């Protein structure tokens, strides 16, 4: 057989990921690129690269014609779709095969079946996989009220040919049903070109758990463990981990059996993910099957030692798989790093990355598609890197992720890195009491840390603007950031106390940012002058001297050295 030549019909970090697997296998990698990606990393790393069109995805990465044409030109033998873009279009999988290339993915029929969410539910039901109570077929406006009563409120209206949460509507009362149906139908038509919707009982406060399956062309199906993806916002996952902290060995084997049974029923081949929801009493229900490699496949790789992309290619070449002896060990976590500003409602901030240094060290992996000086185009998804760590258990994996994120330096674009550090420090995440709706609620209640490159402060900002100095103390390099509230701040409206002449005023010195108290330099009862440093706050790898805004007597010190503080937490109280 001639050496395989694999075209990667994708971009960004996943294209880079696939190119690496292709190179290790000794095969030829062929990249494709739009005009927005001429200088992209995946283009540089592949053995060859072919232009497929303008920046607009519809005319490049989503153009079946342009991709097949590039594949012919490059004499490709196989096409890997990555995730997103054309990866779950049954028509693409069959067009690839019809043009004489091997599709690195499942058969078009399996994609087709799972793309029809009601058909997927029926398949799950046939083989005894638990499904959420709901309608086996799409419903009409006339049928819906009776069906909803039968299922019980709250119900969820879902697009039958959708997925990923688009077009979903939660309905809590019968009188909301009609408008929710109308809206879901409209959205389904707009997103997926088909208006059909069906109903399911809505499971609240759930964990999102998904099973990784792998099947070869000889009927062998394997289960490679589950992933927990409950930290999400608007159906965008932010953190994924394996194993799920809420799945025990018994539940794991039941989820695994269910996922393998469904894969067999669907005639599934290659990598697939069976998405489940886990309710508060530990029952699991099938939701849908994703017929592609997932963004979070990496955490499964970290605990199994398997290269899932290489396995995909080997399966596509007809190789028999034997994964019976695979035993996942330890714990792995992934944080998705997006060029978005969580403090500005996750506004994407594409642009040039001016400075960039990735974390490394023991058991840290970074899958990314940027380097210093490169551009993150505005035309595509804002995720530009994934940080993945593994450790012997969850607690150590969280500590390792915190360490890795603290090493990650990105300048020029905002990032979700500070948000991840905040999430990792929450009780809900560390105790795994979070659910799929937790993050959105927590974000509403929280004061967010700043994204990497904060927006220029408005001129009347009350936030102190720090002065930065680099000191050498006893031969030790000490970067210092000074928060002096008398500098660069608008004059304050006199407070009630000081307006009264204020010989007995009380004030609280608050933490200007999230960080760790390194030292407290004052004690209760001590008289201090304006500008005296009251404590040192370590944040963003800097020692920040926190000065007193005025003279006074220290009354309370609610913090101590070693404590972690959030922005706005009281540090020292003065009278
Ligand atoms: C649900 C559900 C609760 N009950 N179905 C969202 C994406 C799509 N794959 C299915 N989704 C959900 N389906 C029932 N009957 C909650 C979700 C859901 C969700 C699921 C997985 C991951 C994150 C989620 C966030 C919100 C809602």
């Amino acid at each position: 057989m001639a050496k395989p030549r694999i075209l990667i019909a994708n971009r960004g970090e996943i294209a880079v990921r696939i190119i690496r697997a292709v190179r290790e296998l000794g095969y030829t990698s062929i990249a494709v690129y739009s005009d927005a990606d001429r200088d992209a990393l995946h283009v540089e790393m592949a053995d060859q690269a072919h232009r497929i069109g303008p920046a607009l995805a519809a005319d490049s990465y989503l153009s079946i014609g342009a991709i097949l044409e590039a594949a012919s030109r490059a004499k490709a033998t196989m096409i890997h779709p990555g995730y997103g873009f054309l990866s779950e279009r049954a028509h693409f999988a069959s067009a690839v095969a019809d043009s004489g290339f091997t599709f690195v993915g499942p058969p078009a029929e399996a994609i087709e079946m799972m793309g029809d969410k009601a058909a997927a539910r029926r398949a799950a039901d046939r083989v005894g996989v638990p499904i959420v109570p709901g309608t086996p077929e799409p419903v009409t406006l006339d049928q819906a009220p009776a069906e909803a009563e039968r299922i019980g409120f709250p119900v969820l209206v879902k697009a039958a040919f959708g997925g990923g949460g688009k077009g979903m509507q939660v309905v809590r009362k019968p009188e909301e049903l009609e408008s929710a149906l109308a809206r879901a139908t409209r959205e389904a038509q707009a997103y997926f070109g088909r208006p059909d919707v069906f109903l399911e009982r809505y499971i609240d406060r759930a964990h999102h758990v998904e099973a990784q399956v792998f099947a070869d062309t000889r009927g062998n199906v394997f289960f490679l463990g589950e992933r927990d993806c409950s930290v999400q916002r608007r159906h965008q996952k932010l953190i994924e981990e394996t194993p799920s902290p809420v799945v025990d060995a018994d539940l794991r084997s039941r989820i695994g059996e269910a996922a393998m049974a469904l894969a067999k029923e669907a005639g599934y081949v290659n990598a697939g993910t069976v998405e489940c929801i886990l309710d508060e009493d530990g029952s699991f229900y099938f939701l849908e099957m994703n017929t592609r490699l997932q963004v979070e496949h990496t955490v499964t790789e970290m605990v199994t030692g398997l290269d899932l992309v290489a396995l995909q290619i080997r399966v596509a070449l007809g190789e028999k798989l034997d994964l019976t002896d695979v035993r996942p060990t330890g714990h792995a976590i992934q944080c998705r790093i997006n060029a978005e500003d969580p403090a500005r409602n996750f506004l994407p901030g594409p642009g040039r990355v001016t400075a960039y240094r990735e974390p490394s060290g023991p058991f840290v992996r970074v899958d990314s598609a940027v380097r210093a000086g490169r551009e993150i185009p505005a035309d595509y998804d804002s995720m530009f890197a994934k940080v993945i760590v593994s450790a012997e258990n969850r607690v150590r994996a969280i500590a390792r992720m915190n360490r890795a994120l603290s090493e990650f330096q990105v300048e020029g674009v905002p990032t979700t890195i500070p948000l991840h550090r905040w999430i990792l420090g929450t009780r809900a995440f560390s105790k795994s009491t979070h659910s799929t709706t937790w993050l959105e609620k927590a974000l509403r209640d929280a004061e967010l840390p700043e994204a990497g490159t904060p927006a220029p402060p408005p001129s009347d900002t009350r936030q102190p603007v720090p002065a930065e100095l680099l000191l050498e103390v006893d031969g030790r390099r000490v970067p210092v950031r000074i928060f002096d509230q008398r500098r660069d701040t608008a004059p304050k409206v006199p407070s009630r106390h000081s307006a009264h002449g204020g010989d007995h005023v009380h004030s609280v010195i608050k933490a200007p940012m999230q960080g760790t108290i390194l030292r407290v330099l004052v004690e209760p009862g001590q008289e201090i002058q304006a500008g005296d440093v009251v404590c040192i706050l370590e944040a963003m790898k800097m020692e920040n001297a926190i000065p007193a805004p005025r003279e006074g007597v220290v009354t309370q010190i609610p913090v101590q050295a070693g404590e972690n503080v959030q922005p706005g937490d009281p540090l020292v109280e003065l009278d």
Side-chain angles (χ1 to χ4, degrees), residues 294-515:
Q294 300 220 203
V295 177
E296 61 272 25
H297 74 280
T298 51
V299 291
T300 302
E301 293 186 322
M302 296 290 268
V303 298
T304 58
L306 297 171
D307 179 334
L308 297 189
V309 177
L311 283 180
Q312 285 193 291
I313 294 167
R314 288 165 50 191
V315 163
L317 288 168
E319 200 175 304
K320 178 173 183 287
L321 281 188
D322 185 2
L323 304 176
T324 39
D325 293 336
V326 174
R327 295 281 173 279
T329 44
H331 201 97
I333 304 179
Q334 168 171 282
C335 288
R336 298 188 187 197
I337 314 301
N338 302 339
E340 291 174 353
D341 188 346
R344 300 165 85 195
N345 201 28
F346 292 80
L347 186 72
R352 190 166 301 280
V353 175
T354 51
Y356 188 77
R357 196 177 68 197
E358 290 183 347
S360 66
F363 305 99
V364 173
R365 162 177 171 181
V366 181
D367 279 21
S368 68
V370 296
R371 294 291 180 264
R374 285 183 202 258
E375 191 93 31
I376 298 174
D379 310 85
Y380 313 108
D381 193 277
S382 65
M383 189 183 78
F384 64 88
K386 309 186 299 204
V387 178
I388 310 108
V389 304
S390 66
E392 59 268 48
N393 60 42
R394 187 170 192 266
V395 169
R396 293 197 166 140
I398 291 173
R400 181 162 282 151
M401 180 61 84
N402 256 315
R403 186 271 290 173
L405 293 176
S406 76
E407 289 179 18
F408 207 162
Q409 294 187 345
V410 183
E411 282 170 32
V413 298
T415 78
T416 47
I417 296 169
L419 174 71
H420 282 300
R421 300 195 65 190
W422 175 81
I423 294 171
L424 295 177
T426 61
R427 271 184 89 76
F429 184 78
S430 66
K431 305 231 178 276
S432 316
T433 56
H434 62 296
S435 72
T436 47
T437 49
W438 167 76
L439 179 62
E440 284 177 46
K441 189 175 173 326
L443 287 173
R444 266 178 256 135
D445 303 341
E447 251 191 275
L448 275 188
E450 284 185 343
T453 302
S459 54
D460 68 342
T461 182
R462 289 296 161 94
Q463 283 287 88
V465 177
E468 297 194 354
L469 289 175
L470 189 57
L471 305 184
E472 224 175 66
V473 180
D474 292 340
R476 190 170 81 108
R477 184 181 176 278
V478 185
V480 176
R481 206 178 274 142
I482 301 172
F483 287 88
D484 184 335
Q485 290 167 1
R486 293 163 303 179
R487 272 182 65 247
D488 291 333
T489 47
K492 290 208 177 90
V493 179
S495 75
R496 196 164 51 85
H497 293 297
S498 53
H500 281 270
D503 55 20
H504 190 81
V505 284
H506 183 79
S507 63
V508 180
I509 304 171
K510 292 178 176 166
M513 58 171 81
Q514 192 263 330

Side-chain angles (χ1 to χ4, degrees), residues 518-574:
L518 274 189
R519 273 187 302 285
V520 177
L521 303 174
V522 294
E523 41 190 51
Q526 189 177 336
E527 277 195 52
I528 56 172
Q529 300 302 312
D532 283 358
V533 175
V534 297
C535 65
I536 310 286
L537 175 67
E538 190 196 30
M540 297 185 281
K541 292 175 287 297
M542 300 271 284
E543 293 189 6
N544 303 284
I546 310 297
R550 61 173 185 81
E551 62 175 44
V553 177
V554 175
T555 55
Q556 303 256 15
I557 309 175
V559 294
Q560 53 185 12
E563 218 173 291
N564 199 27
V565 294
Q566 300 298 324
D569 280 358
L571 302 175
V572 170
E573 298 185 16
L574 295 178

Side-chain angles (χ1 to χ4, degrees), residues 256-271:
E257 290 302 325
M260 290 189 289
L262 180 62
K264 283 184 182 142
E265 174 70 13
Y268 204 82
V269 176
N270 219 296

Side-chain angles (χ1 to χ4, degrees), residues 132 156 158 163-165 168 200-204 208 229 232 235 237 275 277 287-288 436-437:
V132 187
L156 194 54
K158 291 185 166 181
M168 272 181 14
E200 265 183 12
R201 166 69 141 301
Y202 178 60
I203 312 283
D204 224 340
H208 166 101
C229 314
Q232 4 191 319
H235 301 295
K237 295 169 184 163
E275 220 182 274
I277 198 145
L287 283 184
E288 51 188 76
T436 47
T437 49

